[in-house]
Amino acid sequence: MTDARSAAGRGLPARALVVGLARSGEAAALALVRRGVEVLGTDRDEGLDTGRLRAAGVEVRVGASAGLALLRGVEVVVKSPGIPASSPLVAAAHDRRIDVWSEVELGFRILDRPIVGVTGTNGKTTTTELLGAIFRAAGRSVAVAGNVGTPLCSLDGSLADDAWIACELSSFQLEDIVTFQPRAGVLLNLAPDHLDRHGSLESYTAAKLRLFENQAADDVAIVPRGFGQTPGTGRRVEFSADDALPAEPAMVGLHNRENAAAAAAAAASAGIGAQAVAHALTRFRGVAHRLEPIGEVRGVLFVNDSKATNPAAAECALRAYPGARVIMGGSRKGTPFGGFAEVARETGVAHAYLIGESAAEIARALSAVGVPHSLDGSLESAVRGAFAKSAAGASVVLAPACASYDQFRDFEQRGECFREIVQGL
């Protein structure tokens, strides 16, 4: 099926600057080159492998030496999600009234396919992957992309004519959309996150809600029951964890039932029936690093929730495994821990093992509500300490409530390290 709104108004520049040349930046640059756009790419990392880009004809500049001269003759800047608006190049582009696009904005302009966009603080990857499973269960062609790790632009040239795209969208990606218009937009939830980048909950919320701003009357805006006003004119559909579903999800936790309800609503908006939804719900068991049981050692269950990079996500893990020994901590994102500590108390956390740069901050919050805890420094020390105190039938859960960048490259590396430590017990 071809999107009726097609590529009208999705014009591309003659010359573009791509800022950040990791996965999404590389995909954006290559997609532009394929369309005859003159592309200049830049990245601060002088050790980055840019051979594929250079071979394709991208002019590559690495390091900081070129400065603002890179903007000369540029009509559009395409920036990677990790680069903030305060970056000198991006700020200068805005000052010079040069358009700034996210990679998903470019992807929308070059891919003539209907998109189901999924955003929210927590559950995005799970819901997006579940949507992919539902489409496949219905025999429909679908690609899963976006913040899940597959850049939208990387789908260029690989999609069937009737394909849909299930696209996970972060606030960083939505900051710089212009025309991006999902056929269905899903907002799962909102809780404080990335306040170190956005500055306030209001700014973070505004970035998330941009998902809906370009929607027209024939689009669908899917939001939690009772959620406030959203921009755009899409038809509103609400969901909640207690919605009737054609089958109960195989995934653990009330929050995953809520994710399933959102996915079912999105699938219905795409004309998919209850039978395919039921088939997917009973078979889909979640994604790596998200409430992922990784094995038992002497009767002790170990659960990897490294993807719980904010307090609200970690609270879901505490509720799914009440009374667990929990490993928490990591790099700071500006989010408070008071409410999280209350949930730790309510769910009977047996002991919290705290790691990383936020350990002392979490310790203060836990002390205030009487949750037992210790400062363990490293992930390995925490795992071994928790295992030593656990009897058969107990659970040890990695639910950091923090980003990973103080000790690890990303949450995936943190989760894999946790897995390796457990395997070595």
Side-chain angles (χ1 to χ4, degrees), residues 9 43 54 61 109 166 269 275 345 365 367 395 410 419:
D43 198 290
R54 294 177 192 273
R61 306 280 184 85
R109 289 170 181 255
S269 75
Q275 185 175 353
R345 180 186 61 79
S367 293
S395 299
D410 47 34
R419 189 192 311 274

Side-chain angles (χ1 to χ4, degrees), residues 217-298:
D218 57 345
D219 299 318
V220 180
I222 300 167
V223 297
R225 183 152 300 131
F227 189 82
Q229 190 173 0
T230 57
T233 58
R235 177 172 60 87
R236 183 183 178 102
V237 173
E238 297 185 347
F239 69 91
S240 73
D242 58 5
D243 283 355
L245 293 172
E248 285 304 306
M251 298 180 291
V252 173
L254 186 64
H255 65 290
N256 275 324
R257 200 179 193 285
E258 189 170 46
N259 294 336
S269 75
I272 294 176
Q275 185 175 353
V277 174
H279 184 275
L281 288 183
T282 57
R283 288 162 176 78
F284 183 78
R285 298 193 175 275
V287 298
H289 310 295
R290 192 70 179 100
L291 283 180
E292 177 192 14
I294 59 173
E296 288 189 11
V297 182
R298 298 179 200 162

Side-chain angles (χ1 to χ4, degrees), residues 177-234:
I177 63 166
V178 180
T179 64
F180 184 82
Q181 182 182 354
R183 181 66 61 84
V186 181
L187 174 68
L188 294 169
N189 44 59
L190 278 172
D193 198 12
H194 298 299
L195 301 188
D196 54 338
R197 163 108 165 225
H198 292 289
S200 68
L201 179 58
E202 291 74 19
S203 177
Y204 170 67
T205 299
K208 289 290 192 185
L209 293 182
R210 295 201 67 191
L211 174 69
F212 304 113
E213 69 180 34
N214 295 316
Q215 285 192 308
D218 57 345
D219 299 318
V220 180
I222 300 167
V223 297
R225 183 152 300 131
F227 189 82
Q229 190 173 0
T230 57
T233 58

Side-chain angles (χ1 to χ4, degrees), residues 327-342:
I327 300 168
M328 307 172 182
S331 54
R332 294 186 180 93
K333 297 169 73 178
T335 50
F337 293 102
F340 171 71
E342 285 289 349

Side-chain angles (χ1 to χ4, degrees), residues 80-395:
S80 295
I83 297 169
S86 58
S87 161
L89 265 178
V90 178
H94 283 299
D95 288 343
R96 300 179 189 190
R97 299 180 182 242
I98 298 172
D99 287 341
V100 177
W101 296 350
S102 63
E103 182 266 334
V104 296
E105 170 68 22
L106 175 62
F108 173 74
R109 289 170 181 255
I110 65 175
L111 299 173
D112 188 13
R113 302 293 187 277
I115 293 175
V116 181
V118 180
T119 197
T121 303
N122 297 309
K124 298 185 296 296
T125 303
T126 297
T127 305
T128 305
E129 294 285 3
L130 174 57
L131 270 168
I134 292 172
F135 270 82
R136 289 188 287 270
R140 302 273 290 273
S141 180
V142 66
V144 177
N147 200 50
V148 295
T150 301
L152 197 55
C153 288
S154 71
L155 303 179
D156 184 31
S158 68
L159 296 174
D161 289 344
D162 61 348
W164 282 62
I165 302 169
C167 186
E168 179 188 344
L169 296 162
S170 71
S171 58
F172 296 170
Q173 291 169 313
L174 289 169
E175 276 181 324
D176 296 293
I177 63 166
V178 180
T179 64
F180 184 82
Q181 182 182 354
R183 181 66 61 84
V186 181
L187 174 68
L188 294 169
N189 44 59
L190 278 172
D193 198 12
H194 298 299
L195 301 188
D196 54 338
R197 163 108 165 225
H198 292 289
S200 68
L201 179 58
E202 291 74 19
S203 177
Y204 170 67
T205 299
K208 289 290 192 185
L209 293 182
R210 295 201 67 191
L211 174 69
F212 304 113
E213 69 180 34
N214 295 316
Q215 285 192 308
D218 57 345
D219 299 318
V220 180
I222 300 167
V223 297
R225 183 152 300 131
F227 189 82
Q229 190 173 0
T230 57
T233 58
R235 177 172 60 87
R236 183 183 178 102
V237 173
E238 297 185 347
F239 69 91
S240 73
D242 58 5
D243 283 355
L245 293 172
E248 285 304 306
M251 298 180 291
V252 173
L254 186 64
H255 65 290
N256 275 324
R257 200 179 193 285
E258 189 170 46
N259 294 336
S269 75
I272 294 176
Q275 185 175 353
V277 174
H279 184 275
L281 288 183
T282 57
R283 288 162 176 78
F284 183 78
R285 298 193 175 275
V287 298
H289 310 295
R290 192 70 179 100
L291 283 180
E292 177 192 14
I294 59 173
E296 288 189 11
V297 182
R298 298 179 200 162
V300 178
L301 174 66
F302 288 85
V303 179
N304 171 20
D305 201 29
S306 183
K307 197 167 170 55
T309 59
N310 59 69
E315 288 169 14
C316 296
L318 304 188
R319 292 190 173 101
Y321 292 92
R325 294 183 179 272
V326 184
I327 300 168
M328 307 172 182
S331 54
R332 294 186 180 93
K333 297 169 73 178
T335 50
F337 293 102
F340 171 71
E342 285 289 349
V343 174
R345 180 186 61 79
E346 292 166 8
T347 55
V349 165
H351 193 94
Y353 300 81
L354 308 180
I355 65 173
E357 68 181 23
S358 59
E361 186 179 355
I362 299 175
R364 288 192 293 273
L366 296 177
S367 293
V369 296
V371 174
H373 59 276
S374 56
L375 300 176
D376 286 78
S378 72
L379 180 57
E380 181 160 9
S381 174
V383 172
R384 293 190 178 279
F387 181 54
K389 296 291 185 180
S390 297
S395 299

Side-chain angles (χ1 to χ4, degrees), residues 34-110:
R34 282 193 290 271
R35 281 160 177 73
V37 177
E38 184 181 346
V39 180
L40 173 60
T42 184
D43 198 290
R44 290 180 301 177
D45 183 1
E46 297 185 7
L48 193 68
D49 182 2
T50 59
R52 188 179 176 201
L53 291 170
R54 294 177 192 273
V58 177
E59 182 184 349
V60 176
R61 306 280 184 85
V62 293
S65 57
L68 301 185
L70 293 172
L71 293 171
R72 190 175 298 121
V74 165
E75 297 173 30
V76 168
V77 171
V78 180
K79 79 176 186 68
S80 295
I83 297 169
S86 58
S87 161
L89 265 178
V90 178
H94 283 299
D95 288 343
R96 300 179 189 190
R97 299 180 182 242
I98 298 172
D99 287 341
V100 177
W101 296 350
S102 63
E103 182 266 334
V104 296
E105 170 68 22
L106 175 62
F108 173 74
R109 289 170 181 255
I110 65 175

